[in-house]
Every structure is written in structure tokens, then in C-alpha cells.
Amino acid sequence: MSERFTKRGFVSRPGDAESWVKASDAPPRSVNEAAAFTARLTIDITPALRGRIKVAAFQRGATVADMLRELLAREFPANAGEPS
């Protein structure tokens, strides 16, 4: 019981940043609907608006992400000839 254990971090960083960035291009490991979403959209909103969105999603029995995806798809439909 005299040996010491080194404390490891939660996630280790890769040595080569370029391979880490390109790793996101790898195909998803599991096949499900959420894997089809490959981009993240970040917006700044007030805490009050965030609360209203979360309450509305809960009342509709949906997640905020699903509700916002539907809203964006309705507002910005794919045009013929554009990649989807």
C-alpha cells in the first residue's frame, strides 16, 4: 500500500492539435437521429428568454434543441438545388 497513484485529468488533450481538429470528420460511431447534426449554433440570449424557451419546450413535451431545430427548419426551408 505504499505505492502512489498519479492523479489523471478528466480528459487528456491530444499531442497533435491538427489530428484532434480533423477527428471531428470521422463518421459517427452509432447510427441515430442526433448523429445527423454535425454543427453547433451558439447565440446570446437573456436569461429571461432562455427561461421562457425552456418552459415552452417542457409544456410541449419536447427538448429545447428539438423545438429550435423545428423552428429554424420552418423559417429557413431548404431551396431546390441547395445541399441539405
Side-chain angles (χ1 to χ4, degrees):
M1 288 276 206
S2 62
E3 66 184 80
R4 288 186 154 195
F5 295 101
T6 59
K7 186 176 179 181
R8 292 185 179 183
F10 182 71
V11 176
S12 62
R13 294 181 182 158
D16 179 23
E18 189 66 26
S19 66
W20 182 51
V21 171
K22 289 183 179 180
S24 65
D25 296 336
R29 292 181 184 169
S30 63
V31 178
N32 61 26
E33 187 177 322
F37 303 108
T38 59
R40 184 172 301 272
L41 176 65
T42 303
I43 59 171
D44 295 325
I45 59 172
T46 64
L49 178 56
R50 180 176 181 261
R52 292 194 310 266
I53 293 169
K54 289 178 76 170
V55 168
F58 178 77
Q59 289 173 339
R60 296 174 189 184
T63 65
V64 171
D66 288 339
M67 193 174 76
L68 291 176
R69 280 187 203 106
E70 290 175 13
L71 171 70
L72 292 170
R74 245 189 350 260
E75 291 297 317
F76 305 100
N79 295 331
E82 281 187 12
S84 43

